[in-house]
Amino acid sequence: MNDQLWYKDAIIYECPVKSFRDSNGDGIGDFKGLIEKLDYLEQLGITAIWILPFFPSPLRDDGYDIKDYYTVNPIYGDIEDFRHFVAEAHRRNIKVIIELVINHSSDQHPWFQRAIKAPRDSDERNYYVWSDDPEKYKEVRIIFQDFEKSNWTWHEEAGQYYWHRFFHHQPDLNFDHPPVQEEIFRILDFWAAFGVDGFRLDAIPYLFERENSSGENLLETHDFLKKLRAYIDKNHKGVMLLAEANMWPEDSAAYFGEGDECHMNFHFPVMPRLYMGLKKMDRSPIIEILNQTPQIPENCQWATFLRNHDELTLEMVTLEDRHYMWDQYAADQRARINLGIRLRLARLMDNDRRKIELMNVLLFSLPGTPVLYYGDEIGMGDDLTQEDRNGVRTPMQWNDQINGGFSEADTSLLYLPTVPDPEYHFSKINVRKQIDDTDSLFHWTKNLIALRKQLNVLGRGDLQFIEVANKSILVFSRSYKSEKILILINLSDQQLDLRLDVTILGTNKIKELFNAHVYPIDEDKVLNLELGAWDYKWLVSG
Ligand code: NOJ
Ligand code: CA
């Protein structure tokens, strides 16, 4: 298989360096700690690791506020540790994806410090976006609604307002200024030289600003991405670009261009609809959104996910659906933030193993490459007493020892406390315990990953929905070359009978892949079976 398309068959694991393992006992996870735990990730079976920003930063947005793009924040180690990490990941056939946060920098970045002192309209000032009038671009929405009142903030020393789509301490870089674009190419070259395999493009829809527009998905932004991609293809062939573009399907798919922008792109719209389908016990939200999703170029791939380090975003659902989701999944008001929900998967699933499995099977069955969030493979919980999105960024739980095996530091020194909730406490939920128990969620997830890796059809195949009478049952087939698989999902809490025409699999014997059960098929090619509550099946001919 063409290795340049590795991302089509990947299993990505999202991991903040800070949260995984502290090697030097200062209470903060670091690269040496992450290296120690690569064997664990290899055992789990993931094929790529996406690490969150590790650059020098005041950490007012957990590192998405960068003050130096060219080195490692000393709290995580040094550049040699990073080099070593990449080598150790590669030795285990694990690809490395890092962040390219280019929409904005920290206000502590020397570029910004220089800009505020430089004369108006000078080269230095123009690294950022300025205005005398805070009414400019007034159609543009505010993303961090719980924290910011405007996208403009007055700067006393500069004597102007500066533009920011996120926190006020994250001024947007000015992509209309050619030197800014050149800086981005330099940053890319620098990290590509370490052998990184991919870059996640943070907040990519917001690069340019234009009057009378939403300031999102502008043509200019797409033109820049085409330039970036051409540059990659010329200088760093095979390096993958993953867009973070939280948009409706059409706008989102535009980030693939015609196969000449990003290789990958998070499927934001489908994510909340998986949760809706489950709660409503109705497949229609899932089917509708996938039917609205345009076909994408051959060399491109969606990145699908259930949870990540941010809130479960409800920006791309109707007002009615947003309230439904909040009512159903975030009755505790503390769980609501901006336009989303700040809970982990296990908590959203009421810690019910069947539902956790079902959601993961859905994730692994849909077109796209699944992205897992660290800790969800053992069903970690969260901590709503922490601010902002920190409650889902707590230390990884390795064992039942001090600090859950994350760190030998005095507990008061941890960057964040471990999850205090007794149901999710590290004494109960930890890697060691789950490795020792072959029935654990860890082993189940590991098995799911191993199965998926044998099935090219899941990474590459097309999708066809199959109509069945009960709306709680979602059935679809995936096909790739001669490979075919039938996927059965029971979204309801009831046991249901199903009669299904399986002609598509073309044999008289059908095998279920999770339990190796073989079903005989009658002459009419009809399969009769029972689906338990939140049950799922992967059927192939066999
Ligand atoms: C998206 C990141 O995922 C989020 O954590 C961050 O706060 C914003 N972009 C701003 O960089
Ligand atoms: Ca440390």
Side-chain angles (χ1 to χ4, degrees), residues 21-30 75:
R21 163 75 189 150
D22 168 22
S23 73
N24 62 351
D26 65 355
I28 306 167
D30 43 54
I75 61 175

Side-chain angles (χ1 to χ4, degrees), residues 61 64 104 144 166 170 200 202 244 309-310 389 393:
D61 184 15
Y64 285 96
H104 46 268
F144 286 165
F166 295 94
Q170 287 165 312
R200 171 184 179 271
D202 183 70
E244 189 220 11
H309 63 290
D310 291 325
R389 293 148 290 171
R393 301 172 178 181

Side-chain angles (χ1 to χ4, degrees), residues 84-152:
H84 189 199
F85 159 69
V86 174
E88 286 297 311
H90 284 171
R91 199 161 67 76
R92 294 168 176 82
N93 286 322
I94 295 175
K95 305 271 187 195
V96 174
I97 301 166
I98 70 167
E99 294 267 354
L100 202 60
V101 185
I102 59 179
N103 176 67
H104 46 268
S105 73
S106 159
D107 60 0
Q108 305 298 305
H109 196 290
W111 295 336
F112 191 72
Q113 291 305 314
R114 188 177 71 181
I116 58 177
K117 294 189 175 61
R120 283 168 173 246
D121 297 324
S122 63
D123 247 20
E124 284 85 7
R125 174 71 66 105
N126 283 340
Y127 263 54
Y128 295 86
V129 181
W130 301 93
S131 173
D132 295 321
D133 175 12
E135 290 297 299
K136 205 174 172 186
Y137 308 140
K138 62 177 180 308
E139 289 87 356
V140 178
R141 72 186 166 118
I142 294 168
I143 297 171
F144 286 165
Q145 291 191 5
D146 288 359
F147 302 91
E148 299 293 340
K149 293 272 161 290
S150 166
N151 288 317
W152 291 108

Side-chain angles (χ1 to χ4, degrees), residues 182-201:
E182 284 158 29
E183 299 278 7
I184 305 309
F185 291 105
R186 267 201 288 281
I187 297 168
L188 193 81
D189 287 342
F190 180 82
W191 293 104
F194 284 86
V196 308
D197 305 284
F199 293 91
R200 171 184 179 271
L201 299 174

